[in-house]
Amino acid sequence: MTAAEVLTKHKTRRAAEVIELAAAAGLELAAAATLLEKESFGGRNIYGHDDVKTGGNYEKGGPVTPENYRKYKAHRHEFGAQGVGPTQLTLPAFQDRADARGGTFDFRVNCAVGFEILADHIRARGVHDGFRAYNGSGPRAEAYADDAVEKLAVWRSRLRGLEDDMTVEEFVKELTRE
């Protein structure tokens, strides 16, 4: 079984892209799968449930579209920041970073930015504290990190021996092979 098949079997969406984007970000694939599982049920492009008003611009837990995202962002300063997309980018600076690269609403851009942020946190703080920093601070972030570490162990077990079968370059070449 390939890594993409394992991801798909366990409900990670757009597995081939997740593999590519995690590798490009320097993020362990199991950590990327963990993040998507925790944040958006495996990579759904949805809004979060943060305690902010929507102003009728989007539906909490509903799909993220370019149209409703633009409405959300136009009123973000008024109603507050909401988690957006597969990696639930919430901090306005992170949403702006993704927007500068094509849009927080775009699955690939959202994952690329979210994976880069998590990879940076893990490199700087270690796995547990990296996941905690991704979520924020305080008791809820601590519980988030504890749960993430448990889920990460499961993903590592599922992916053991599969991640390193193919480099990103080989993977892209395989995808574009005639």
Side-chain angles (χ1 to χ4, degrees), residues 5 11 16 27 29 32-33 43 66 76-77 88 94 96 108 110-111 121 140 142 161-163 166 170 173 178:
E5 290 169 333
K11 310 240 186 302
L27 181 65
L29 182 57
R76 181 177 69 193
H77 66 283
Q88 289 294 286
F94 293 156
D96 294 346
R108 288 183 61 84
N110 189 290
C111 286
H121 285 321
R140 292 178 115 182
E142 190 68 33
L162 299 176
E163 248 182 289
M166 194 180 290
E170 291 168 334
K173 191 181 235 181
E178 296 179 341

Side-chain angles (χ1 to χ4, degrees), residues 6-96:
V6 170
L7 291 172
T8 301
K9 176 182 175 187
H10 294 283
K11 310 240 186 302
T12 300
R13 295 165 186 257
R14 299 172 70 164
E17 292 171 276
V18 169
I19 293 167
E20 173 193 351
L21 295 167
L27 181 65
E28 177 188 1
L29 182 57
T34 298
L35 181 65
L36 293 176
E37 179 181 345
K38 289 194 62 57
E39 294 293 347
S40 61
F41 311 104
R44 291 182 180 169
N45 197 14
I46 56 175
Y47 285 99
H49 292 88
D50 294 303
D51 190 22
V52 297
K53 295 181 185 212
T54 68
N57 296 308
Y58 64 93
E59 179 184 337
K60 290 183 182 184
V64 177
T65 66
E67 194 173 299
N68 66 27
Y69 177 75
R70 285 185 191 95
K71 290 178 184 176
Y72 153 78
K73 188 169 180 190
H75 297 279
R76 181 177 69 193
H77 66 283
E78 180 183 351
F79 296 118
Q82 179 63 263
V84 179
T87 64
Q88 289 294 286
L89 298 176
T90 307
L91 189 65
F94 293 156
Q95 292 174 359
D96 294 346

Side-chain angles (χ1 to χ4, degrees), residues 154-171:
V154 172
W155 276 108
R156 283 177 170 166
S157 175
R158 290 172 179 162
L159 293 165
R160 188 165 289 120
L162 299 176
E163 248 182 289
D164 300 325
D165 289 349
M166 194 180 290
T167 66
V168 174
E169 293 78 19
E170 291 168 334
F171 179 73

